[in-house]
């Protein structure tokens, strides 16, 4: 399976700042997805980017994909306290393979 | 819209006891269903997936088993729990475009 690996493991920012996290993977993909998990809860699907797309936006989220470098980034702009969560990337074929996640803490 | 129910929400069980976790879904038919386990501070490990009634694929050899007795019901079981079975268990169903939707999870502590 193709596992995404997120970097950094943890990130602490001030409310209003941007948060950027990266994901690397090992082999060719059909698409890459980002999920958010609030503490003790299930995962919530944020965005899916296909292998033929380079950038995608959803609200305050911006995802980029560089298939030549086998990497993706998730940018959260103008962060809020409610963005405090763990963020996971996942590569998919018939199943999802998750990395260990980036824990984001947004300080008020 | 699709809804995923999991119960119980939390469970504390002694080593050697049996386990049964249930996942039911609403708002869809013939979904692909998944069981994941998440250790504390870690990513998700896929345990089982099912593409239909009675069809189970195991991803990791272990102390657990899964069954799908009905189209919208997915059960995770164990005959004898181990300490290493502790974790957060998540049920998910596949959407139309490869995305997955997750239930609220069951936190299992084996003592």
């Amino acid at each position: 399976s193709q596992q995404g690996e997120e970097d950094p493991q943890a990130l602490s920012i001030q409310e209003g700042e941007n948060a950027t996290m990266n994901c690397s993977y090992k082999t060719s993909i059909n698409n890459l997805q980002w999920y958010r998990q609030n503490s003790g809860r299930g995962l919530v699907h944020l965005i899916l980017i296909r292998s033929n797309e380079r950038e995608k936006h959803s609200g305050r989220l911006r995802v980029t994909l560089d298939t030549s470098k086998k990497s993706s980034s998730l940018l959260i702009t103008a962060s809020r306290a409610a963005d405090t969560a763990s963020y996971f990337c996942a590569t998919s074929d018939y199943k999802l393979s998750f990395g260990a996640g980036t824990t984001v803490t947004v300080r008020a | 819209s699709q809804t995923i129910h999991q119960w119980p929400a939390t469970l504390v069980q002694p080593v050697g006891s049996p386990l049964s976790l249930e996942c039911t879904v609403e708002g869809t038919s013939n979904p692909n269903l998944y069981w994941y386990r998440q250790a504390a501070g870690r990513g998700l490990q896929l345990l089982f997936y099912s593409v239909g009634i009675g069809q189970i694929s195991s991803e990791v050899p272990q102390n657990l088993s899964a069954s799908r007795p009905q189209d919208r019901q997915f059960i995770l079981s164990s005959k004898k729990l181990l300490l290493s079975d502790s974790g957060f268990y998540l049920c998910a169903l596949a959407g139309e475009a490869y995305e997955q939707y997750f239930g609220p999870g069951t936190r299992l502590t084996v003592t």
Side-chain angles (χ1 to χ4, degrees), chain A residues 84-101:
Chain A
T84 294
S86 292
Y87 293 82
F88 297 88
C89 68
T91 57
S92 67
D93 33 54
Y94 64 96
K95 59 181 183 179
L96 292 179
S97 297
F98 288 86

Side-chain angles (χ1 to χ4, degrees), chain B residues 20-61:
Chain B
S20 181
L21 302 181
E22 189 162 347
C23 169
T24 58
V25 303
E26 297 176 356
T28 184
S29 59
N30 197 32
N32 287 358
L33 297 175
Y34 304 81
W35 276 113
Y36 292 89
R37 177 171 60 202
Q38 185 179 33
R42 304 291 297 276
L44 278 68
Q45 178 187 36
L46 178 63
L47 302 176
F48 300 95
Y49 70 94
S50 171
V51 299
I53 295 173
Q55 301 179 65
I56 307 295
S57 294
S58 174
E59 289 294 308
V60 181

Side-chain angles (χ1 to χ4, degrees), chain B residues 41-108:
Chain B
R42 304 291 297 276
L44 278 68
Q45 178 187 36
L46 178 63
L47 302 176
F48 300 95
Y49 70 94
S50 171
V51 299
I53 295 173
Q55 301 179 65
I56 307 295
S57 294
S58 174
E59 289 294 308
V60 181
Q62 60 212 327
N63 186 42
L64 302 170
S65 62
S67 62
R68 187 164 174 181
Q70 299 180 44
D71 181 47
R72 301 173 197 175
Q73 185 184 33
F74 202 20
I75 296 173
L76 184 69
S77 304
S78 173
K79 292 182 179 178
K80 289 185 177 182
L81 284 168
L82 306 172
L83 284 174
S84 57
D85 292 323
S86 292
F88 192 46
Y89 288 82
L90 290 158
C91 178
L93 68 84
E96 294 182 355
Y98 300 101
E99 77 279 16
Q100 291 189 10
Y101 300 94
F102 287 79
T106 294
R107 185 161 304 282
L108 171 67

